[in-house]
Amino acid sequence: MNQNDLLNVRHTTLDEARSDMLDALRKRLTNHSLEARFYNDPHVFRIDMEEVFQKEWLFVGMTSEIPSKGNYFTVQIGQNPILVVRDAQGNINAFHNTCRHRGSVLCHEQRGKVANLVCPYHQWTYDLKGNLLFAGNEMNQGFDKGQHGLQAAHCKHSGGFIFVCLAQTAPDDEFDAFLSSLDDYMAPYDVENTKLAAESTMYERANWKLVLENNRECYHCAGSHPELLNSLLEWDDTHDPRAPQDFIDHYNAQAAQWDAEGIPHQHKSFGRSQRNRMVRMPLKKGTKVMTMDGSVACKKLLGRVKNPELGSMRILHLPNSWNHMQSDHFIVFRVLPISAQESIVTTKWFVHKDAVEGVDYETEKLRHVWDATNEQDKNLGERNQMGINSIGYQPGPYSETYEFGIINFLEWYTSTIQKNLVTP
Ligand code: 3BY
Ligand code: FES
Ligand code: FE
């Protein structure tokens, strides 16, 4: 626990924290930001981990990051190290990255390629399906390798997006319907034939909900994101009540082209409060993608895409991801909490797998706008956290026209916590 955490401890027991949290949610002013404890209390953070991050499907990475047998990447979900690996049959498996001998982390690197998974401590060896193959000759008689395979986590992928779920039983209410649409909407991009071109990992001194809240509104865009606003239009979907007529005309013209080319674009949402959604939105007239001058960042367009003006297909998956899929590259964003006041935001840029750096694309041009935007958002999130920690902070009202995305997010978050705490 760091000093900030100690300053915000309010309870002596977790049970007390749970019932207090339910009480605070019952008394919550609707359409207002949450009480400070939701953003800085370590007990609330622990409950968020147990009730959200250890129960929900989480976005972890893309299938093209692990294109062939033995490719793996690791991801840290709270205190849980997770390993995602492609096996010989092409299946993608997720395991708790902890050895069944004495628990050492198996794969320490962020990504790599292995024939088998060998624990660096005493060399217990597992195959890519998690079966224990070898435990030295030192184990006692009667030791059953069959009982000591890696512990699996739920893992599903669709349209190139890989999700894991650490719950015993994964929620499936609306998730499979979302995955099936994701497959359709991502088909033009042929994710299997893309490659990771750039990646950024940002450590932010802000609660994960502040990172998400900031992303769910563009009220702050005019004041903070000059680079992004070269190309981004602020309207969140085609029914955004703020959208002016010239936007609607622009949208209709682009949508007619997309329809003619068989590019999916209709707004679709799944689950409570639009927690999973996708919609293709046009970018500013005269711009093709999110670069400084709006021209394509990569000469080779993705998959079967012919039209560079595909706008951006926005994919939202609560609690931890938003994404922008364009004609020549796509960008995925992943948020993972570390503590009550710390999060990691990972951004990855993908291009066609045959695109050559320096010939078809320049990495700097590709990533410039979102590097700048991420830095601006990090500052906004960190300053938001600092102000919320003040004894002078009080929950404030969200604008229903500009901040409906946050209202939806918190409706989803608060109802998830309430449902889980009332019926554990
Ligand atoms: O474009 C995004 O990802 C979001 C939406 C509005 C603000 N933010 C930059
Ligand atoms: Fe992995 Fe001993 S902890 S082999
Ligand atoms: Fe922003």
Side-chain angles (χ1 to χ4, degrees):
M1 241 194 254
N2 66 29
Q3 216 179 351
N4 265 352
D5 284 340
L6 275 172
L7 285 171
N8 294 299
V9 171
R10 300 165 56 98
H11 309 99
T12 45
T13 70
L14 197 56
D15 274 342
E16 200 179 280
R18 286 194 188 99
S19 71
D20 231 25
M21 198 165 161
L22 275 176
D23 212 37
L25 289 177
R26 268 192 295 270
K27 291 190 196 129
R28 175 179 177 234
L29 287 173
T30 51
N31 300 354
H32 279 62
S33 58
L34 300 170
E35 278 181 46
R37 69 174 90 176
F38 285 90
Y39 305 110
N40 63 19
D41 179 333
H43 280 101
V44 170
F45 178 74
R46 172 157 169 181
I47 295 166
D48 279 359
M49 291 309 301
E50 289 179 354
E51 305 304 335
V52 178
F53 281 85
Q54 289 172 191
K55 284 197 176 153
E56 295 292 331
W57 286 102
L58 305 173
F59 168 62
V60 288
M62 301 302 284
T63 51
S64 57
E65 292 178 65
I66 45 174
S68 51
K69 176 186 166 192
N71 280 135
Y72 72 87
F73 65 80
T74 56
V75 56
Q76 184 76 20
I77 300 171
Q79 63 186 348
N80 309 295
I82 302 293
L83 168 66
V84 180
V85 63
R86 176 101 59 168
D87 69 25
Q89 284 67 44
N91 298 319
I92 295 177
N93 307 316
F95 301 108
H96 287 272
N97 188 7
T98 169
C99 181
R100 291 295 307 280
H101 176 216
R102 279 166 49 204
S104 171
V105 160
L106 272 175
C107 296
H108 186 66
E109 302 297 325
Q110 206 183 333
R111 53 171 56 88
K113 189 171 171 79
V114 288
N116 290 306
L117 300 161
V118 183
C119 180
Y121 204 172
H122 315 94
Q123 290 72 50
W124 279 29
T125 301
Y126 305 84
D127 69 16
L128 304 175
K129 293 185 185 303
N131 302 306
L132 179 61
L133 298 175
F134 174 77
N137 300 319
E138 292 76 20
M139 298 314 293
N140 305 333
Q141 260 200 340
F143 171 73
D144 182 359
K145 285 201 296 238
Q147 295 300 310
H148 292 83
L150 294 180
Q151 198 189 327
H154 300 282
C155 183
K156 286 187 178 186
H157 65 92
S158 184
F161 285 77
I162 307 172
F163 301 89
V164 302
C165 173
L166 306 188
Q168 290 291 331
T169 311
D172 63 357
D173 31 358
E174 80 290 324
F175 191 64
D176 287 340
F178 168 61
L179 291 189
S180 145
S181 282
L182 199 52
D183 207 35
D184 297 341
Y185 277 60
M186 289 300 294
Y189 294 108
D190 188 15
V191 173
E192 294 295 324
N193 283 309
T194 64
K195 66 172 178 186
L196 181 64
E199 175 167 14
S200 98
T201 305
M202 297 179 76
Y203 166 79
E204 309 198 357
R205 291 186 174 279
N207 182 270
W208 69 274
K209 294 192 284 298
L210 293 179
V211 178
L212 264 294
E213 288 191 22
N214 176 65
N215 174 264
R216 291 296 80 223
E217 51 92 353
C218 213
Y219 192 13
H220 69 271
C221 290
S224 292
H225 294 323
E227 298 86 353
L228 185 65
L229 289 187
N230 286 344
S231 56
L232 185 90
L233 291 167
E234 297 186 29
W235 327 121
D236 192 53
D237 68 44
T238 45
H239 306 297
D240 193 319
R242 302 165 298 169
Q245 190 58 44
D246 65 339
F247 166 77
I248 294 167
D249 296 342
H250 176 44
Y251 173 78
N252 286 336
Q254 294 239 307
Q257 274 195 339
W258 300 336
D259 281 332
E261 294 160 7
I263 300 289
H265 62 87
Q266 301 286 357
H267 179 218
K268 276 198 174 183
S269 77
F270 304 84
R272 267 172 302 131
S273 312
Q274 308 201 6
R275 62 85 55 99
N276 292 313
R277 68 193 283 263
M278 51 196 83
V279 63
R280 183 179 302 281
M281 294 297 286
L283 295 170
K284 269 193 182 149
K285 258 189 195 152
T287 67
K288 297 184 172 69
V289 302
M290 294 168 168
T291 48
M292 285 302 280
D293 65 1
S295 66
V296 289
C298 182
K299 286 185 206 146
K300 276 201 184 358
L301 300 186
L302 297 167
R304 66 168 172 83
V305 173
K306 296 279 180 296
N307 177 1
E309 285 185 43
L310 288 196
S312 166
M313 184 165 81
R314 301 174 179 196
I315 299 170
L316 173 70
H317 170 68
L318 295 179
N320 82 322
S321 175
W322 64 87
N323 307 281
H324 284 289
M325 326 315 274
Q326 304 162 77
S327 57
D328 64 333
H329 72 281
F330 61 80
I331 317 170
V332 299
F333 300 83
R334 180 184 77 187
V335 182
L336 292 169
I338 301 178
S339 76
Q341 297 188 39
E342 297 167 298
S343 307
I344 293 276
V345 178
T346 306
T347 307
K348 294 174 189 169
W349 290 259
F350 290 79
V351 296
H352 193 290
K353 83 166 179 346
D354 299 332
V356 179
E357 225 264 275
V359 177
D360 298 303
Y361 69 97
E362 304 290 341
T363 305
E364 208 293 316
K365 175 173 177 180
L366 179 73
R367 58 187 295 168
H368 187 97
V369 166
W370 273 100
D371 272 340
T373 305
N374 282 341
E375 190 61 34
Q376 292 147 0
D377 282 327
K378 170 183 157 89
N379 283 327
L380 295 169
E382 293 188 343
R383 289 170 196 171
N384 196 356
Q385 180 75 59
M386 282 173 74
I388 283 175
N389 289 346
S390 157
I391 56 169
Y393 166 76
Q394 292 179 27
Y398 295 121
S399 154
E400 284 174 35
T401 37
Y402 280 83
E403 294 172 305
F404 54 87
I406 305 187
I407 293 174
N408 287 342
F409 164 52
L410 290 185
E411 254 169 34
W412 175 79
Y413 166 76
T414 57
S415 61
T416 300
I417 294 284
Q418 280 173 311
K419 179 184 68 152
N420 289 357
L421 290 187
V422 170
T423 45

